[in-house]
Amino acid sequence: MALRPEEFYDHARAAADDERRLPLARMTGWDISPFEQDGLRVAPLRPPVLPEPPRHGEDPSDCGSCRDRDEGIWLNDSWRLTRITGVGVPLVLMLHPREHHDMADLPDTLAAELGVLSTHIVRHVQALPHIARAHVYRIGDGGAHLHIWFFARPVGQAQLYGSWLPVWDDLLPEYPTDVADADASIVADALVASLGGRRSAAGEASPG
């Protein structure tokens, strides 16, 4: 059984200093880290907050993803794919079920579709010129409606390898919109060819 919230906090607090600051993560010493360790410090560890605040869209009637269920660069009966704007890497896409589900309550039929669809999206993103890898992320702390992130890593940028990519994305200048739009269209067309569904011009979304 997992530690209770107060036990987890006490366990972590025991490793912190008098200001409740944990040691720097080993990741900050990796050569792909966007930060130098000198002068970097960890924020003070805060005690648990219970109950946790509700996520956006816990109530389907107030869910932005449900309101936008017909918007995307690609759609089929069950899923929609959007392009996230204002990012620094070449392309960020987000996959949403059109009905209100989180991953834990996703019906088995949709779960099976998610695996196949995610594979096709990764395949088509990685087929784009000058893209080395498509990273796939599911977090879910901010929104109750399932949303899967796909980050395109540019080829040759060794500092952008691995788990630091979303941080680098937030540091980089905004990627040219026209280039990202064109690449998103290529991915959407490839999905239509490989899995069906339909294209849509209205498919951009801001990070949230």
Side-chain angles (χ1 to χ4, degrees):
M1 180 185 296
L3 296 176
R4 296 192 302 271
E6 63 275 13
E7 291 174 330
F8 181 89
Y9 177 72
D10 289 343
H11 170 74
R13 179 70 178 81
D17 63 16
D18 292 341
E19 294 183 329
R20 293 179 287 115
R21 298 181 192 274
L22 291 164
L24 287 177
R26 291 183 297 276
M27 292 171 60
T28 60
W30 296 354
D31 63 0
I32 58 173
S33 172
F35 308 110
E36 295 179 348
Q37 287 186 312
D38 187 31
L40 191 66
R41 64 178 185 170
V42 179
L45 186 67
R46 292 191 281 255
V49 175
L50 296 169
E52 291 191 359
R55 298 174 298 171
H56 172 75
E58 295 281 8
D59 181 354
S61 67
D62 189 37
C63 175
S65 190
C66 287
R67 284 195 302 271
D68 297 337
R69 70 183 309 275
D70 296 323
E71 296 183 10
I73 60 170
W74 174 90
L75 304 97
N76 68 9
D77 290 342
S78 302
W79 300 92
R80 65 190 187 94
L81 186 68
T82 58
R83 183 175 85 78
I84 303 301
T85 60
V87 299
V89 297
L91 189 63
V92 178
L93 302 175
M94 184 178 285
L95 181 65
H96 325 245
R98 295 180 70 190
E99 300 299 329
H100 191 79
H101 296 291
D102 201 352
M103 183 165 277
D105 61 52
L106 200 64
D108 286 351
T109 53
L110 290 184
E113 291 176 10
L114 174 60
V116 173
L117 183 51
S118 296
T119 299
H120 280 246
I121 294 170
V122 167
R123 183 178 300 155
H124 300 323
V125 170
Q126 291 186 175
L128 293 168
H130 314 305
I131 299 301
R133 207 84 61 225
H135 291 204
V136 184
Y137 303 94
R138 183 266 172 178
I139 304 168
D141 278 334
H145 193 121
L146 176 63
H147 50 291
I148 309 292
W149 299 81
F150 297 83
F151 278 69
R153 178 177 67 75
V155 71
Q157 291 297 140
Q159 276 186 291
L160 274 59
Y161 280 10
S163 49
W164 280 113
L165 181 62
V167 180
W168 278 108
D169 170 69
D170 203 40
L171 295 168
L172 291 164
E174 185 173 346
Y175 195 79
T177 298
D178 57 340
V179 180
D181 281 340
D183 282 343
S185 294
I186 292 171
V187 172
D189 286 338
L191 277 175
V192 172
S194 66
L195 285 179
R198 67 184 190 275
R199 281 286 316 276
S200 174
E204 295 184 354
S206 297

